[in-house]
Amino acid sequence: MPTPEPSTSASAIVSGTVTGHHVLTIDGYSRTKAKLPTGRFTASRPFTVGGHSWSIHYYPSGDRSDTAGFISVFLELNPAADAGGGGSEPVDARVTFSLLDQAGRSVPSHTMATDLHDFAATGFGFGRFIERSYLEQSEHLKNDRFAIRCDVVVFSDELRAEARTADAAALSVAVPPSDLSQHLGGLLAAKELGADVTFLVAGETFTAHRCVLAARSPVFRAELFGPMKESAATAVITVDDIEPDVFRNLLTFMYTDTLPETNPQELEEEEDDDDDDYEDDQAQAAAMVEHLLIAADRYNLERLKLICEDRLCKHIDGESVATILALAEQHSCDGLKEACFQFLSSRSALNSLVATDGMEHLARWCPSVLNQLMSKVAALVPVDFVVRETR
């Protein structure tokens, strides 16, 4: 009689987890240190992991007197904006903070993880995350800029049983998220690794890789490999009509498909006399995005162009709408142009446009878009009023 096959089975008790990360770039470290003394922080933009809204609290001068020589970072739950609801209900999570090097990789000596905590009660992080003297002397701070990565693991209260094959563990492989952009960003930062083209931009030089640029931009492909290509022996290619900071951000996007946040972070509890500085920062951020949009159009980088359109939508106000509308018309940005028209759909916005000579600006540079605007608002404001005010 044959021996029966042994019966095998397997199951697992599974605790649900959701992971995500957020990269916080500190652009203007010395200014944040000067404006925020010990105990004061600025918060990152909210981000969502596991259906909950989170933000990072960054203390450039430490969160307490005994951490004044350090940078402190804490992860905070935003219960009022919590996409998962629950308010003060427990949200069990673990957070890992990592200082990033110039290639976007975590610095092992400055990577710290918390235990599992209930974040509904309070935030958690590290008061002694980075010693300021270390950061300021390290290569991780460049052009007054550095970055911190925050990895969050949110644990669900739900426990469930799942059937598994007996050899399921052998068939299961954890696949990490793509880090292609980090590697390509490192290739750009490590200038000596195969860079074969140099650009001169307003007196500043940039090295890059012809194949990467050609793969990302049909304009660069034609310039570097087409019939009118630059000679391989050419030492330097001069780029006109672009500022160095704009070209730097353009290259960063071409290698990593990402851009740093150009909107200044709102500093907590600022004094009234800091309002002018904040407005100046907003204006500079908008100007950078405008220049990047022009560069994106020049090199046929459609995704970058759309990103710039989206960011400029957040800068539309009574003083800027004429300039942004003209820019949208000149570079065929239909979404941005429609956002300007929507902003100008109120009488108060039109009055502001007239008061700032915006109508005159549009009449001089984009008469066609002015005609479109007048057609759209004719039902709201009499056309003879608009024409009379622009004369």
Side-chain angles (χ1 to χ4, degrees):
M1 180 176 181
T3 303
E5 291 289 333
S7 176
T8 61
S9 63
S11 64
I13 302 297
V14 179
S15 172
T17 62
V18 179
T19 64
H21 75 271
H22 182 83
V23 175
L24 175 63
T25 300
I26 309 301
D27 195 350
Y29 160 69
S30 58
R31 182 168 180 263
T32 64
K33 184 175 66 170
K35 294 178 71 68
L36 296 173
T38 300
R40 293 181 59 184
F41 68 91
T42 180
S44 71
R45 286 190 168 188
F47 59 95
T48 301
V49 178
H52 302 281
S53 176
W54 308 86
S55 61
I56 301 168
H57 286 193
Y58 159 72
Y59 296 79
S61 304
D63 63 318
R64 303 186 309 271
S65 59
D66 60 337
T67 61
F70 291 80
I71 291 170
S72 305
V73 287
F74 294 89
L75 179 67
E76 299 282 344
L77 183 69
N78 303 320
D82 192 344
S88 60
E89 294 182 4
V91 180
D92 293 329
R94 183 170 60 232
V95 57
T96 301
F97 286 105
S98 305
L99 173 66
L100 299 183
D101 63 18
Q102 291 299 314
R105 299 181 296 250
S106 297
V107 178
S109 63
H110 287 80
T111 297
M112 303 182 182
T114 69
D115 295 328
L116 182 64
H117 289 292
D118 173 11
F119 277 81
T122 184
F124 292 92
F126 302 95
R128 299 172 180 266
F129 178 55
I130 310 171
E131 193 169 4
R132 291 195 323 205
S133 60
Y134 166 82
L135 177 68
E136 292 164 7
Q137 296 171 14
S138 74
E139 61 183 8
H140 310 311
L141 179 67
K142 186 175 182 180
N143 298 325
D144 207 31
R145 177 189 303 159
F146 74 100
I148 298 169
R149 173 169 168 148
C150 174
D151 287 87
V152 184
V153 181
V154 179
F155 291 79
S156 170
D157 289 336
E158 177 187 358
L159 298 176
R160 65 182 187 277
E162 289 186 354
R164 297 283 177 90
T165 61
D167 57 350
L171 301 177
S172 177
V173 177
V175 180
S178 172
D179 56 359
L180 176 62
S181 63
Q182 294 183 14
H183 286 294
L184 288 179
L187 186 66
L188 177 63
K191 301 177 182 179
E192 71 278 3
L193 292 179
D196 57 0
V197 61
T198 301
F199 297 95
L200 179 63
V201 184
E204 189 169 340
T205 59
F206 298 86
T207 57
H209 304 78
R210 291 171 183 258
C211 289
V212 174
L213 302 185
R216 296 286 281 157
S217 163
V219 177
F220 272 122
R221 185 183 308 125
E223 290 182 355
L224 299 173
F225 292 100
M228 302 299 292
K229 68 181 179 181
E230 296 282 352
S231 170
T234 300
V236 176
I237 298 174
T238 301
V239 179
D240 298 318
D241 303 323
I242 295 183
E243 292 298 317
D245 283 347
V246 177
F247 195 74
R248 181 179 295 106
N249 282 333
L250 180 76
L251 286 181
T252 298
F253 177 84
M254 295 182 72
Y255 277 75
T256 67
D257 211 41
T258 60
L259 279 177
E261 289 294 334
T262 53
N263 292 330
Q265 298 172 358
E266 295 183 6
L267 300 179
E268 297 274 337
E269 303 176 5
E270 290 206 0
E271 301 295 335
D272 291 341
D273 59 2
D274 290 333
D275 290 345
D276 290 342
D277 290 342
Y278 177 74
E279 291 176 1
D280 288 344
D281 286 344
Q282 290 283 0
Q284 292 173 12
M288 171 58 73
V289 178
E290 290 173 8
H291 291 309
L292 272 173
L293 187 150
I294 295 170
D297 194 32
R298 173 175 173 174
Y299 289 105
N300 199 7
L301 297 168
E302 189 61 28
R303 185 169 184 273
L304 175 58
K305 186 176 171 182
L306 291 172
I307 290 173
C308 292
E309 283 191 62
D310 179 62
R311 292 191 179 184
L312 282 176
C313 286
K314 301 174 177 61
H315 285 280
I316 297 172
D317 57 27
E319 293 185 357
S320 67
V321 64
T323 301
I324 293 177
L325 182 53
L327 184 73
E329 175 69 8
Q330 292 163 359
H331 296 278
S332 303
C333 302
D334 295 336
L336 182 59
K337 185 165 71 172
E338 188 58 37
C340 291
F341 284 152
Q342 184 175 349
F343 175 82
L344 292 169
S345 62
S346 69
R347 184 183 295 269
S348 60
L350 283 171
N351 288 338
S352 178
L353 182 67
V354 172
T356 58
D357 296 327
M359 289 290 193
E360 181 178 346
H361 177 84
L362 291 175
R364 175 177 299 177
W365 297 105
C366 295
S368 61
V369 80
L370 179 59
N371 292 335
Q372 295 177 50
L373 173 62
M374 293 174 66
S375 298
K376 285 181 175 290
V377 302
L380 179 64
V381 180
V383 174
D384 62 341
F385 166 79
V386 176
V387 173
R388 185 170 58 252
E389 289 295 325
T390 58
R391 288 176 178 168

